[in-house]
Amino acid sequence: MTQMLDMPQVQDCSVDSCSYNAEHTCHAGAITVGGDHAHCGTFVEISFRAGLDRTGVVGACHRSDCVHNEALECRASAVQVGSGADAADCLTYKPS
């Protein structure tokens, strides 16, 4: 079982419109990556900033075809989130 300390951090998030983003740092408790193009499912665009006083981690990855995915857990050392096919995608995603 993966422990919180073993989850990869969101090293950089360039999606400034996300309410969890503060100065390119993700402050969500944990993000979920999924969809047909490795979308950050935690992306939310509302009128205020929110989140925790620490850097977010990848809590789950539904892209089982990614080289970093093991049993729906991300094993990358860190991830980057930014504009890809959508406004907020996992840029670390790499198909196996």
Side-chain angles (χ1 to χ4, degrees), residues 25-84:
T25 303
C26 177
H27 290 279
I31 70 167
T32 298
V33 175
D36 62 350
H37 54 271
H39 178 72
C40 176
T42 312
F43 167 72
V44 63
E45 192 172 14
I46 52 180
S47 62
F48 60 90
R49 298 291 175 189
L52 303 174
D53 191 23
R54 64 171 177 78
T55 303
V57 297
V58 180
C61 179
H62 300 162
R63 293 304 308 254
S64 60
D65 63 330
C66 181
V67 298
H68 303 293
N69 191 309
E70 182 180 312
L72 300 180
E73 300 284 340
C74 182
R75 298 293 181 218
S77 57
V79 300
Q80 293 184 321
V81 175
S83 180

Side-chain angles (χ1 to χ4, degrees), residues 1 19 23 29 34 38:
M1 173 184 286
S19 292
E23 299 178 10

